[in-house]
Amino acid sequence: MDPVLVSLMEETFNIVCWDNPGKYLGLPADWARFKSGTLSWIMERVQAKVEAIAFVARDSNGALLTGHGKRVAASSPLVAEALTLREAILATYNFNWNKVVFESDCLTLIEACRKDKVVAEIQGVVADILTVAEGFIHCGFTWVRRQGNKVAHQITQASISNSLPLSWVSNQPDWLLRLLFEDVRHCASLRSHQLF
């Protein structure tokens, strides 16, 4: 089993050790013991693959304020996008920023957050997002073209490959500065923010 997936499942599901109690009886091999002592066949319950998520927060001039990238277990790219937005909105709320616009190149997610569409696969995560959104003075969700979201995609790729410097927010590498500029330039000519 992939060690990254094992690590994510251990963290996500509060697992303390792996077992193979049925190896001589022909039972499934991937079992895990939860901290509660319950033994469960993990691989049947979790059809997840390792994804990376990343978000960046910028001010109205496009300057990088903060960001985060990490690996997660997600059942689909859409779920990974929704988890990313939930991470971003929680971080924003914790920074006490109260006038915000969240941008994503995932139109389905933006439509779900604007309540234009119900998507069963991400309904629970979207409900979390909208609950937190109620705590802001102004909060909007805007779709941007993928070309205007290069920074987040590059941070995601760097998270997958473990090549993201720990100090990337405070000590921005040249590639990040270049992409920040390109994102701002691209989005300034294309987007219009819509608040709800």
Side-chain angles (χ1 to χ4, degrees), residues 58 103-107 110 142-153 182-184 186-192:
R58 295 182 267 202
E103 299 176 340
S104 173
D105 59 15
C106 181
L107 184 59
I110 293 301
T142 301
W143 176 79
V144 294
R145 295 177 188 268
R146 186 174 176 92
Q147 296 91 333
N149 201 14
K150 291 179 182 177
V151 173
H153 287 284
E182 288 177 18
D183 276 4
V184 170
H186 182 80
C187 290
S189 65
L190 294 177
R191 71 173 176 243
S192 63

Side-chain angles (χ1 to χ4, degrees), residues 10-187:
E10 287 173 348
E11 180 182 320
T12 304
F13 298 107
N14 212 13
I15 296 169
V16 292
C17 68
W18 290 87
D19 265 323
N20 190 354
K23 63 184 169 188
Y24 301 110
L25 302 174
L27 297 174
D30 295 319
W31 292 72
R33 190 170 304 279
F34 294 90
K35 288 184 180 173
S36 66
T38 306
L39 192 65
S40 182
W41 186 26
I42 288 295
M43 294 309 290
E44 189 64 29
R45 293 176 164 224
V46 181
Q47 296 295 323
K49 67 178 190 170
V50 176
E51 297 274 353
I53 63 172
F55 69 86
V56 293
R58 295 182 267 202
D59 65 16
S60 57
N61 296 317
L64 182 65
L65 300 173
T66 190
H68 184 63
K70 70 176 187 177
R71 291 180 176 195
V72 296
S75 58
S76 73
L78 179 58
V79 170
E81 292 279 354
L83 293 172
T84 302
L85 183 52
R86 183 171 66 186
E87 289 272 334
I89 201 167
L90 288 170
T92 304
Y93 187 82
N94 288 332
F95 275 109
N96 292 317
W97 298 330
N98 51 26
K99 295 180 182 177
V100 295
V101 175
F102 294 93
E103 299 176 340
S104 173
D105 59 15
C106 181
L107 184 59
T108 301
L109 174 61
I110 293 301
E111 289 173 337
C113 290
R114 289 181 178 172
K115 302 178 185 175
D116 295 339
K117 180 186 275 188
V118 175
V119 183
E121 183 180 14
I122 57 171
Q123 191 171 359
V125 179
V126 170
D128 293 346
I129 291 166
L130 295 177
T131 299
V132 177
E134 293 173 0
F136 296 105
I137 293 172
H138 296 288
C139 181
F141 299 97
T142 301
W143 176 79
V144 294
R145 295 177 188 268
R146 186 174 176 92
Q147 296 91 333
N149 201 14
K150 291 179 182 177
V151 173
H153 287 284
Q154 188 61 43
I155 298 298
T156 300
Q157 292 305 313
S159 295
I160 289 172
S161 65
N162 288 325
S163 63
L164 188 64
L166 292 176
S167 62
W168 67 271
V169 173
S170 59
N171 188 15
Q172 299 166 10
D174 290 339
W175 61 264
L176 179 59
L177 293 171
R178 181 180 46 78
L179 290 176
L180 282 165
F181 176 75
E182 288 177 18
D183 276 4
V184 170
R185 187 184 64 198
H186 182 80
C187 290

